C-alpha cells in the first residue's frame, strides 16, 4: 500500500494510524476541490448578474436591473470570500502525510481576483450601461 512495511507485519494501531493519515490526505484534496467548485459558482453568479442586467436593460424603473445585477455580484463576493476563509481554516488544521498540502496563496489570490472582478462589474453596471 502506501507505507514501507507490508500490512501483514503491522499491528492494529499502525494500520489504524496509516488509515487516518490517508483519510486526512483525502480530506485535504477534497477541501481543495470544494474551493474550486465554490469559485466556479461565484463566477457563475457574476455571469447571472450581468445576464440579468442585459435581459432587463429597458426595464422601468431603470435602477431595478442594476440592483438585481449588483445583488448577485455581491453574493458572489460573499460566497467566494467565505469559501476562501473556510478552506484556509480547514487546511491550517490539517497536515499532509503522503500528499503535500496545497499552497493556499494561489487560491487566495484567485478569490481576491474574482471579488475584484465582481466589484469592477458592479461599477460598470452602474456607471457605463445606459
Amino acid at each position: 500500500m502506501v507505507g514501507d512495511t507490508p500490512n501483514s507485519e503491522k499491528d492494529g494501531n499502525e494500520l489504524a494510524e496509516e488509515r487516518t493519515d490517508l483519510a486526512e490526505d483525502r480530506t485535504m484534496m477534497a477541501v481543495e476541490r470544494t474551493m474550486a467548485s465554490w469559485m466556479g459558482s461565484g463566477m457563475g453568479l457574476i455571469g447571472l448578474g450581468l445576464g440579468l442586467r442585459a435581459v432587463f436593460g429597458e426595464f422601468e424603473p431603470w435602477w431595478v436591473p442594476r440592483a438585481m445585477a449588483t445583488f448577485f455580484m455581491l453574493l458572489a463576493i460573499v460566497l467566494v470570500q467565505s469559501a476562501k476563509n473556510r478552506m484556509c481554516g480547514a487546511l491550517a488544521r490539517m497536515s499532509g502525510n503522503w500528499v503535500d498540502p496545497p499552497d493556499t496563496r494561489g487560491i487566495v489570490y484567485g478569490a481576491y481576483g474574482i471579488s475584484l472582478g465582481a466589484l469592477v462589474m458592479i461599477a460598470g453596471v452602474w456607471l457605463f450601461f445606459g
Side-chain angles (χ1 to χ4, degrees), residues 116-130:
L116 179 62
L119 289 174
V120 168
M121 291 301 298
I122 290 170
V125 163
W126 286 94
L127 297 176
F128 300 116
F129 284 112

Side-chain angles (χ1 to χ4, degrees), residues 60-81:
E60 288 295 328
W62 63 269
W63 56 269
V64 172
R66 293 176 184 182
M68 289 187 313
T70 301
F71 170 76
F72 284 107
M73 290 180 197
L74 289 174
L75 185 60
I77 293 170
V78 170
L79 180 87
V80 168
Q81 291 301 316

Side-chain angles (χ1 to χ4, degrees), residues 5-20:
T5 309
N7 285 343
S8 61
E9 296 177 18
K10 294 180 182 177
D11 67 3
N13 287 336
E14 289 175 327
L15 289 172
E17 187 174 320
E18 188 172 286
R19 283 192 302 270
T20 302

Side-chain angles (χ1 to χ4, degrees), residues 32 36 53 77 87 95 100-101 107 110:
E32 192 175 22
R53 169 60 185 97
I77 293 170
M87 185 210 68
S95 61
D100 292 332
I107 295 176

Side-chain angles (χ1 to χ4, degrees), residues 32-55:
E32 192 175 22
R33 285 190 307 271
T34 302
M35 179 61 191
S37 175
W38 283 113
M39 290 175 80
S41 297
M43 289 186 284
L45 284 169
I46 293 170
L48 176 64
L50 191 58
L52 286 173
R53 169 60 185 97
V55 168

